[in-house]
Amino acid sequence: MGTPSGAVAGEAMKAPVNFMVTMVRGHFETARMAKQDIERVWETAHDNYRGTAPRPAAEGAMRTRSKVTMKITRTKVAAAVARLKEIGFKWNVKPTPEPSLIDYSPAELRSKLAEVLASMENKDLASQIKEEMDVDALMQQVKELARARADAMKLRIEDDLVEMGWDQHYDQGLLDGSLYGTMVFKGLLTKERRPGRWVRRGGSWGFLDVDPDVKLYRPEAENISPWDFYPSPGAWMVEKLDYGIVRNVMGHREVADLADNPGFDAAEVMACLADKTGAWTPEPWEHRLFASNAQS
C-alpha cells in the first residue's frame, strides 16, 4: 500500500484491496505458467517473421557460407493480412423495408383515417381531407426519414471509429492473427471525454473546454497484444473464460496521471511511485523478442 503514510490513507479499504491483489496475482501466475508452451511457438514464429531464426547446428559441418535468411514468412504473413483486410470488417447501417417510426401499418392507418373522417361533423372538410390525404406518400416520407436517420447513425459510427483509431488497432490485430494465430480485442467500452478543442495561445497549444459541466461519452476499443493477454487455463473459447488478465506496462507519467482519475486514491498513487512499488520486470519472452528485434 505504499509508504506508511499511504497505508494509513488507505486503511479503510486495505483488506479488500489486498485480497483483490492476491487473487489477481494468483490467477496471473497460473495463467502465465499455462501459457509458456504457446509462447515458445510464438517466439519461433516471431523469429521466422523477423528473419532471425537460429542458424542450423550442422551449418559448420555442411560448410555453408551464406548467412542470408530468406524472409519467406514475412511475405506470407503480409499477403494474409492484405487478404483479411480486404474481406474483413465490413459494416453498414440501413433502415428496414418497413420502418417502425409510426405505430400503424398502411392498412391500419387507412382504417384509422376512415374512422376519424366518419366521425367529423363537417362532411365537406372530411371529403377534402380524404382526397388530399395520400397514405402511400406518407409512408414514403417515413421511409425517407428512416433512411436519413440511418445515414446520420452511419456518420456517427464512422466518426467514433476514427476517434478510437480503429484502423491502426485493426491492422495490428490482423498482423497478430496472421503471425501468431491469435487476435485479442478489448471493447467496446465507454469512455468519458472532454468536449472542447485545441487552440493556439501565445505561441503554444492548449485545450479549451467548451463546457466543463458537459459530459461526453464515446466508445473505445483497442487491440491487445497476445503476448500481454493471459486467459484462464483450459478455456478454448471466450464464453469458457473464468477470467482474462491484460498485462499493462505503464510509465511513470502514466501512473501519475491516474491520480487525477475518479476511482483512484491520489495519495496511494504517489506513495507507490515514491517507493517503486510494482516496478516493471521483463517477462522471459520479452528478452527473446528484444534480442530478435535488435538483430534485424
Side-chain angles (χ1 to χ4, degrees):
M1 296 294 289
T3 62
S5 59
V8 173
E11 181 116 17
M13 59 179 181
K14 184 173 181 179
V17 168
N18 284 342
F19 171 77
M20 182 181 68
V21 171
T22 302
M23 178 185 68
V24 173
R25 172 58 65 180
H27 287 331
F28 176 74
E29 294 296 338
T30 302
R32 182 167 64 173
M33 293 295 294
K35 190 184 170 191
Q36 288 181 350
D37 289 340
I38 189 63
E39 286 177 347
R40 295 188 186 96
V41 177
W42 291 350
E43 288 174 359
T44 302
H46 184 84
D47 286 339
N48 291 333
Y49 180 77
R50 302 287 296 190
T52 57
R55 308 299 301 183
E59 188 177 49
M62 293 185 297
R63 296 182 180 180
T64 304
R65 294 183 178 181
S66 176
K67 301 296 183 181
V68 177
T69 300
M70 298 297 294
K71 298 181 181 181
I72 300 176
T73 302
R74 180 186 288 269
T75 304
K76 298 296 185 181
V77 169
V81 171
R83 179 58 176 163
L84 289 173
K85 189 173 182 178
E86 180 182 353
I87 65 175
F89 185 66
K90 304 292 183 181
W91 66 275
N92 195 10
V93 179
K94 59 182 181 179
T96 59
E98 291 292 339
S100 56
L101 298 182
I102 59 177
D103 297 332
Y104 304 106
S105 65
E108 293 173 335
L109 190 60
R110 290 188 178 90
S111 177
K112 292 290 183 181
L113 179 60
E115 293 178 4
V116 172
L117 294 177
S119 62
M120 294 179 60
E121 295 183 357
N122 191 335
K123 300 302 181 181
D124 293 336
L125 179 60
S127 177
Q128 182 180 355
I129 293 176
K130 184 176 182 180
E131 291 178 359
E132 296 179 354
M133 180 64 76
D134 188 347
V135 175
D136 292 333
L138 177 61
M139 299 306 296
Q140 184 62 34
Q141 293 178 10
V142 171
K143 292 182 178 181
E144 292 176 359
L145 176 61
R147 190 177 300 110
R149 291 186 177 182
D151 291 341
M153 176 59 71
K154 183 178 179 179
L155 183 62
R156 177 59 185 272
I157 294 175
E158 290 176 348
D159 185 69
D160 287 338
L161 292 175
V162 172
E163 288 284 342
M164 72 174 68
W166 170 263
D167 286 342
Q168 296 87 341
H169 291 299
Y170 186 59
D171 290 349
Q172 182 60 45
L174 291 180
L175 177 59
D176 291 339
S178 301
L179 180 56
Y180 304 121
T182 304
M183 178 178 177
V184 183
F185 255 82
K186 182 175 71 175
L188 289 166
L189 305 175
T190 302
K191 183 178 181 180
E192 180 180 341
R193 300 193 179 184
R194 296 163 56 190
R197 63 181 183 273
W198 289 92
V199 295
R200 189 175 182 85
R201 290 181 176 178
S204 61
W205 289 92
F207 191 83
L208 177 64
D209 284 318
V210 175
D211 188 347
D213 296 329
V214 175
K215 293 185 177 181
L216 179 65
Y217 297 94
R218 302 295 291 272
E220 186 177 53
E222 63 177 317
N223 174 69
I224 302 297
S225 171
W227 296 98
D228 289 323
F229 183 68
Y230 294 83
S232 57
W236 51 275
M237 59 189 302
V238 175
E239 288 75 15
K240 300 296 183 181
L241 280 174
D242 291 331
Y243 59 85
I245 298 175
V246 176
R247 177 176 175 267
N248 184 20
V249 178
M250 303 176 67
H252 186 283
R253 183 173 180 178
E254 291 179 289
V255 176
D257 289 342
L258 296 177
D260 298 328
N261 291 341
F264 289 88
D265 188 322
E268 294 291 346
V269 172
M270 296 306 165
C272 291
L273 287 174
D275 67 359
K276 309 297 184 182
T277 301
W280 171 73
T281 54
E283 293 294 306
W285 54 264
E286 284 182 296
H287 291 294
R288 179 74 178 271
L289 263 60
F290 290 160
S292 175
N293 295 340
Q295 289 176 14
S296 57

